[in-house]
Amino acid sequence: MLEKAAAEQVKITLVFSYIREYMLDQVQVLLEEIDHWCERRQTCIEAVVNDWGMAEILKNQTENLIPCLGTLLNKRKKDPRMKYKSGDTSL
């Protein structure tokens, strides 16, 4: 798929669900292979960070893999005092 995307000049974004503890080593090996592929092609790929395990893996591989904040780490409590919560439709 990487070769096909490169041949068609399409940008690539890697997205993983949260990584379970037993999968950390497998994902790290996969990301190392992708990093080497990027070095050979002289390109960069975005990698969506959805959990702290992925953040830790990408911490040392930021040369060719660009971390992007995913939705699981981006969740936050919304302020209940927001006007749209009380039915304000002027937004």
Side-chain angles (χ1 to χ4, degrees):
M1 292 303 285
L2 292 173
E3 293 296 334
K4 181 169 177 51
E8 295 182 10
Q9 298 178 352
V10 176
K11 298 287 183 187
I12 301 168
T13 301
L14 299 175
V15 181
F16 294 88
S17 63
Y18 66 93
I19 302 172
R20 293 172 185 85
E21 191 75 31
Y22 71 92
M23 295 180 64
L24 286 173
D25 293 333
Q26 296 170 354
V27 171
Q28 184 165 5
V29 168
L30 176 64
L31 291 175
E32 287 172 1
E33 289 177 18
I34 293 171
D35 188 49
H36 294 308
W37 181 87
C38 290
E39 284 178 15
R40 289 191 306 271
R41 295 296 226 144
Q42 297 179 345
T43 188
C44 293
I45 293 179
E46 289 182 341
V48 177
V49 177
N50 278 322
D51 65 354
W52 294 111
M54 178 63 88
E56 182 68 27
I57 291 171
L58 288 177
K59 179 171 68 173
N60 299 321
Q61 294 183 350
T62 56
E63 209 169 304
N64 297 309
L65 298 174
I66 303 167
C68 298
L69 185 62
T71 56
L72 293 177
L73 286 180
N74 198 20
K75 287 184 180 177
R76 65 187 193 293
K77 282 194 167 191
K78 300 202 176 15
D79 190 347
R81 297 172 290 181
M82 301 295 282
K83 292 194 181 273
Y84 73 89
K85 291 277 192 174
S86 60
D88 186 3
T89 59
S90 64
L91 298 174

